[in-house]
Amino acid sequence: MARAAPVTPSARRPADVPSDRTEAVLSRLQLMVTRKLDGLLQGDYAGLLPGPGSEAGESREYRPGDDVRRMDWPVTARTTMPHVRRTVADRELETWLAVDLSASLDFGTGRWLKRDVVVAAAAALAHLTVRGGNRIGAVIGSGGGVSAPARRWRTAPPVAGPDVYTRLPARSGRKEAHALLRAIAGTEIRPGRSDLGALVDMLNRPPRRRGVAVVISDFLAPPAGWARPLRKLRVRHDVVAIEVVDPRELELPDVGVLPVVDPETGELHEVQTADPRLRHRYAEAAAVQRAEISAALRGAGAAHLRLRTDRDWLLDMVRFVAAQRHARTRGTTR
């Protein structure tokens, strides 16, 4: 199916990327994003100075001088200690990223690897978020056990293991955002596929105040596993789904016998791409798969952005952000 990936030099890369190269890539991404996205969020806030805010936050014990009008009586009654309710300034936006770095993301036949597009999308979102003193955090899934039994292997079968998830707390500031991007770019991809539903559900627990939740993945996992957590997330947050696609996942080239390997399991197949009927069936199956993904995202109420490894992902993001902003200013949803 579309999950199989041709074995080409651009489809694989070492798991460990030198830190200096990572820093150079992130610096270049930051420059590109700043040049293209600067000015898109101007006018988001009515005032220049942050006030005490009106959005309810956490409670803390009462201290002399606190405003008694902010007493949290339910917590005070439960703890028998006076507590006041903190408030968060409305101008502060909290954005959370759910970044899927399953083995299928370590592949690409276009200008970029899918993993590179994931990091680039995270960099653009971080830039858009931290400009106004907003906070950004992330949960990262980096694969786990083998998702399916395999019969023929390109190398030794990967050893099954538990899914690996990393939670990065939401913080404000460019320095903190850059540290978050370094953590995403430096995450090692493991064999197998992360449970995308469990990854999305990590944004539901613990409950957070209203904000923006962004899920970045290729969404190759069956929609039945992640559609319900995404709908649950949409109840409280604005949800953006960024789907990363490689052209070879949509159609096969006519190049004769092509060895393809499932990056999640290591299973190897040889495909006769000279057969036009096989290429047609592959394209049809891929189209059906992508239609199911789009329908599931639409049913969950998520704004859907598709980024391809063979296109200018930054231009696509600029158009998407501009369209979302235009829809909000007209009082409509997208």
Side-chain angles (χ1 to χ4, degrees):
M1 204 10 235
R3 188 177 298 177
V7 182
T8 63
S10 63
R12 306 296 298 173
R13 72 173 183 183
D16 297 324
V17 180
S19 58
D20 54 348
R21 180 184 170 191
T22 301
E23 289 295 330
V25 170
L26 290 179
S27 298
R28 182 168 174 266
L29 277 176
Q30 184 178 7
L31 182 61
M32 292 170 57
V33 168
T34 301
R35 287 178 173 176
K36 283 288 184 75
L37 296 184
D38 258 350
L40 286 183
L41 293 186
Q42 290 178 359
D44 272 8
Y45 305 121
L48 296 177
L49 299 178
S54 58
E55 185 75 18
E58 298 179 350
S59 295
R60 62 168 174 81
E61 289 190 14
Y62 173 84
R63 299 170 187 167
D66 286 338
D67 190 345
V68 295
R69 291 174 297 181
R70 294 195 290 119
M71 292 293 296
D72 192 338
W73 296 112
V75 176
T76 299
R78 287 197 303 269
T79 62
T80 69
M81 294 289 293
H83 279 69
V84 293
R85 171 70 68 175
R86 289 178 174 177
T87 55
V88 182
D90 293 336
R91 72 186 302 275
E92 292 181 358
L93 175 70
E94 187 168 282
T95 299
W96 277 88
L97 310 179
V99 183
D100 179 15
L101 289 179
S102 298
S104 61
L105 274 298
D106 200 16
F107 166 70
T109 61
R111 298 165 57 187
W112 313 82
L113 294 178
K114 292 202 302 183
R115 175 190 177 125
D116 295 335
V117 177
V118 169
V119 175
L125 293 166
H127 172 77
L128 290 173
T129 298
V130 302
R131 290 177 48 122
N134 302 317
R135 297 185 298 274
I136 185 169
V139 291
I140 308 171
S142 55
V146 180
S147 58
R151 296 177 299 276
R152 297 180 60 192
W153 302 89
R154 182 171 58 92
T155 57
V159 179
D163 290 345
V164 177
Y165 300 107
T166 304
R167 185 187 297 272
L168 305 174
R171 293 171 179 165
S172 60
R174 295 187 181 276
K175 182 178 179 180
E176 300 293 343
H178 195 70
L180 180 141
L181 293 176
R182 282 202 307 268
I184 295 175
T187 298
E188 180 181 356
I189 292 181
R190 304 178 62 206
R193 165 161 291 279
S194 299
D195 186 341
L196 184 57
L199 183 66
V200 172
D201 215 30
M202 291 180 68
L203 300 184
N204 288 315
R205 298 192 305 267
R208 300 178 177 88
R209 71 186 187 92
R210 293 185 182 277
V212 178
V214 184
V215 182
I216 310 176
S217 174
D218 55 11
F219 292 96
L220 290 181
W226 50 260
R228 188 172 183 274
L230 205 61
R231 288 195 298 268
K232 182 180 176 182
L233 189 65
R234 180 64 180 85
V235 172
R236 188 165 179 82
H237 305 281
D238 291 332
V239 178
V240 178
I242 299 181
E243 179 189 6
V244 182
V245 181
D246 187 84
R248 295 289 76 81
E249 295 173 333
L250 304 178
E251 58 184 4
L252 287 176
D254 183 2
V255 293
V257 177
L258 178 68
V260 294
V261 62
D262 188 332
E264 295 179 5
T265 65
E267 187 175 5
L268 176 67
H269 294 279
E270 291 184 350
V271 180
Q272 177 53 267
T273 61
D275 185 352
R277 292 174 301 178
L278 182 143
R279 298 199 306 274
H280 180 69
R281 291 198 306 269
Y282 182 93
E284 281 188 338
V288 169
Q289 181 188 45
R290 296 298 165 179
E292 291 177 351
I293 293 172
S294 297
L297 294 175
R298 187 167 54 250
H304 182 198
L305 169 62
R306 178 175 293 173
L307 300 180
R308 293 174 54 120
T309 60
D310 60 341
R311 291 183 48 172
D312 186 346
W313 59 268
L314 188 52
L315 180 59
D316 289 339
M317 288 205 70
V318 169
R319 290 172 175 169
F320 176 79
V321 172
Q324 291 291 305
R325 180 180 176 84
H326 180 66
R328 287 197 304 270
T329 55
R330 294 181 57 188
T332 60
T333 57
R334 186 177 176 86

